[in-house]
Amino acid sequence: MTTKYAALLRGINVSGHKRVPMPELRTVLGELGHTAIATHLQSGNAVFRSDSGDEDALAAALERALHERFGFSVSCIVRSGSYLAAVADACPFPAAELEGKQLHVTYFDRAVESGRFAALDAQAYRPEAFELGDRCLYLYAPDGLGRSKLAEALARPRQTAGLTATTRNWNTVAKLVEMTRV
């Protein structure tokens, strides 16, 4: 039985650095034996079907293949469509009432203990807010991610040390849920 997954690549095609053309990403995924491959935008979102049930193994194989193809490292997080739908359904903010640029999900490569962000004075960043979820963090940034002081604080090395993390705006979150529906 195959599962539909999304591969979330971190930090590619930003200001001309770590360039990974989407047609080549689709080729790499095909060479790994995946099927029903599609990409979304140029920022490293791909969906595919696989017989594997191991998200970490799928991510590691994709990271190796991308390094072999392009000669640089790309961190990847792979998540099933059911996980992506559960994350969207569990959003603690009123997603339907917000613009896509106001709400973001940061996906982590593993579960994050709640104490990791405890030292952060969340009240100081109001009206911005965040909530931890299942291997993710929801961020409400009413003025967008680029102007968010809270996003900047959450991304500091002491907050994210040892984690692989990649962020998507709510429009992309919703599109990936749609694309990975069985």
Side-chain angles (χ1 to χ4, degrees), residues 78-151:
V78 173
R79 293 291 180 253
S80 70
S82 60
Y83 167 83
L84 295 174
V87 165
D89 291 344
C91 182
F93 300 106
E97 300 170 19
L98 301 173
E99 294 178 44
K101 70 175 188 167
Q102 294 179 308
L103 186 56
H104 297 79
V105 176
T106 298
Y107 298 95
F108 298 114
D109 62 330
R110 62 182 171 280
V112 176
E113 65 282 356
S114 59
R116 182 179 280 263
F117 299 102
L120 193 67
D121 180 10
Q123 294 299 322
Y125 297 95
R126 293 283 179 206
E128 296 182 47
F130 77 96
E131 295 276 338
L132 283 176
D134 174 19
R135 296 178 289 165
C136 71
L137 179 144
Y138 301 92
L139 173 65
Y140 169 61
D143 294 326
L145 194 63
R147 294 186 175 149
S148 173
K149 298 296 183 192
L150 181 56

Side-chain angles (χ1 to χ4, degrees), residues 1-2 7-8 17 24 33 42-43 63 84 113-114 125 182:
M1 185 170 149
T2 64
L8 309 171
H17 297 104
E24 288 191 55
Q42 298 297 314
S43 55
E63 287 174 353
L84 295 174
E113 65 282 356
S114 59
Y125 297 95
V182 177

